[in-house]
Structures are given as structure tokens and as C-alpha cells.
Amino acid sequence: MFIINFKMNKVIPLYENLLSREANFDDIRDDKMKLIRHMLDNYNIVFDNFYNAWMRIDKSNIEIKNKFELGNITKIITGDDITIKGSSFIDETENGIDGNYCICGCNKCKYLFKLYHKKTNIGFLVGSSCIEKAGHDDFIKNINCATRNGRCKLCNIPLKITGRYKNYKKSYNFVCMSCRREKKIYLRINYNEKDHFKQYFKIKWNPDLKYWYWYGYEDNLPDILKKRVLKI
């Protein structure tokens, strides 16, 4: 295939034209200010320092034949098409943010989430559908779990009560299985009460801190001991 350059009155092979465009993007990518200006002028995409990610603020200013722009945009910025499976990653512990414009150009999003380029860790704020198109098949299902069941109060991962990746039981008090650990919970126990609590609740004495404690999972702490917990 060939492209005719009318200005130079010359026929240029198509692959040479594409190589030229790639080289041009390399030059833009290597110059931070040039890249920022190019993305704003052509695509209304900016780098947001607060979110530490690229985000779209309006529709593109240039005519786009391929309306699904995510791969085109990420290739300009990183050199890779992030929609190719295996070239990106997500962080399940991150919350979505309010926003309508996905990097791809869609303006019907309710929330935006970070999709990261694996080689550079560069982030892009995109809709949940684009994350699944990039190969993260269960993302929407996991977000629905977070909405329905909540997130782990220690690591912020979505809590999943059923299914292959089950990581939570309702009795765990919003702590996922990975974060759930037995711990020492120190208690306010009077001297004349110690024998009773030792017998029925298996409390133990810490000679260094000089406090009684109960050892186990926090969500299994007996109700009668909850009123005696010390903040140490």
C-alpha cells in the first residue's frame, strides 16, 4: 500500500508513513512539556497530580476514526497499547472516584478507576468497562462486591462472601481473611476478678505491661469482655 504526498509530489510506502508517526510520538513522549501540550490540545487529556494519573476533561479536539481511543492514547504516552491483555494491572485496594469521562472518550461513566501500564506504572483514569476490555475480567463483579459487602477495614480490598475468590464472612466484622489475625486484646480486670475470667475466658497475664489480655480473633471477643478493652 502507498500514500501519495501531494505537496512533495511523491509516493510514500504506507509502512514508512507509520514509522514516521511512531518516531514523532517517541519525540513527544521524551519531552514532558511537549507531551502534556499534545495531549491537551488534541485529546483534552491532562495529567492530574492529585490522582497521579492521566485523565480526560472533554472530548477530543481532532477527528478520530477509531472512537475507542484507550489503546491509541496509552500508546502515545507509554509506547504500548494498554488494551492488550497482560500489559496493565489494577490495584483492588483503590477506591473509584466520581467522574464521567473515561480516557477512551466515553462520557457516560459514573465512576473512574485507575488502570496502570505494567512497564512504567503510569496510571490512567478509566471506566470499569475499559478495565475489563484490558483483560481484567472480574473487575466489575469485584466492584459490585465492594458496593454490596463493603471493603476490608485494614487493606481496603473488596469483600467477597461467595464464589471462587471468597475472602470474607459476615461475622468477621469487615476484615478479610488475609488480614484476619489472632491478636492480644488487653483488658481492665480487677485483682478480685482475675480467677473468674481466667477460668471462663482463658485470659492471661503480661508481666511486662502488667495487664491481663485475651488472645484470639477480634470478632470472636466475648461480649462481656468488649466493655473491658483497654486502648494500648
Side-chain angles (χ1 to χ4, degrees), residues 13 27 29 36 44 49 52 63-64 78 85 120 122 129 142 150-151 161 169 180 198 207 220 230:
D27 291 340
R29 196 179 306 118
I36 290 173
N44 268 314
N49 288 307
N52 194 32
E63 183 180 352
I64 302 295
T78 68
K85 192 167 185 176
T120 62
I122 293 174
S129 295
N142 291 340
R151 290 177 175 269
I161 297 176
K169 291 183 179 181
R180 191 171 179 260
K198 282 173 64 178
N220 287 339
L230 294 170

Side-chain angles (χ1 to χ4, degrees), residues 33-72:
M33 294 309 298
K34 189 183 291 186
L35 176 62
I36 290 173
R37 175 52 59 187
H38 177 81
M39 300 312 297
L40 177 61
D41 289 348
N42 292 284
Y43 299 97
N44 268 314
I45 288 175
V46 299
F47 185 82
D48 189 290
N49 288 307
F50 181 78
Y51 294 115
N52 194 32
W54 289 91
M55 65 182 298
R56 183 184 285 274
I57 56 176
D58 206 343
K59 64 182 180 180
S60 292
N61 292 323
I62 58 176
E63 183 180 352
I64 302 295
K65 292 182 180 179
N66 178 8
K67 293 185 178 180
F68 184 63
E69 295 184 45
L70 178 59
N72 299 331

Side-chain angles (χ1 to χ4, degrees), residues 12 35 58 68 72 96 116 118 126 131 133 140 143 153 187 195 199 201 213-214 225 229:
I12 303 174
L35 176 62
D58 206 343
F68 184 63
N72 299 331
Y116 294 91
K118 187 175 285 187
V126 303
I131 289 183
K133 287 174 182 175
I140 293 177
I143 291 303
K153 62 184 179 183
L187 306 165
D195 292 335
Q199 179 181 354
F201 299 101
Y213 67 88
W214 179 87
L225 298 183
V229 174

Side-chain angles (χ1 to χ4, degrees), residues 126-176:
V126 303
S128 56
S129 295
C130 276
I131 289 183
E132 291 208 337
K133 287 174 182 175
H136 306 281
D137 300 331
D138 294 325
F139 183 77
I140 293 177
K141 185 186 296 184
N142 291 340
I143 291 303
N144 289 337
C145 285
T147 302
R148 183 170 57 251
N149 306 323
R151 290 177 175 269
C152 174
K153 62 184 179 183
L154 298 180
C155 73
N156 207 46
I157 199 168
L159 298 174
K160 306 159 193 174
I161 297 176
T162 60
R164 179 182 175 187
Y165 299 106
K166 175 181 176 180
N167 66 358
Y168 177 65
K169 291 183 179 181
K170 289 183 178 180
S171 61
Y172 290 176
N173 193 27
F174 294 100
V175 176
C176 72

Side-chain angles (χ1 to χ4, degrees), residues 1-6 10-18:
M1 292 183 66
F2 297 90
I3 291 178
I4 300 176
N5 186 326
F6 292 102
K10 182 179 178 183
V11 177
I12 303 174
L14 177 59
Y15 76 90
E16 287 187 14
N17 182 267
L18 294 175

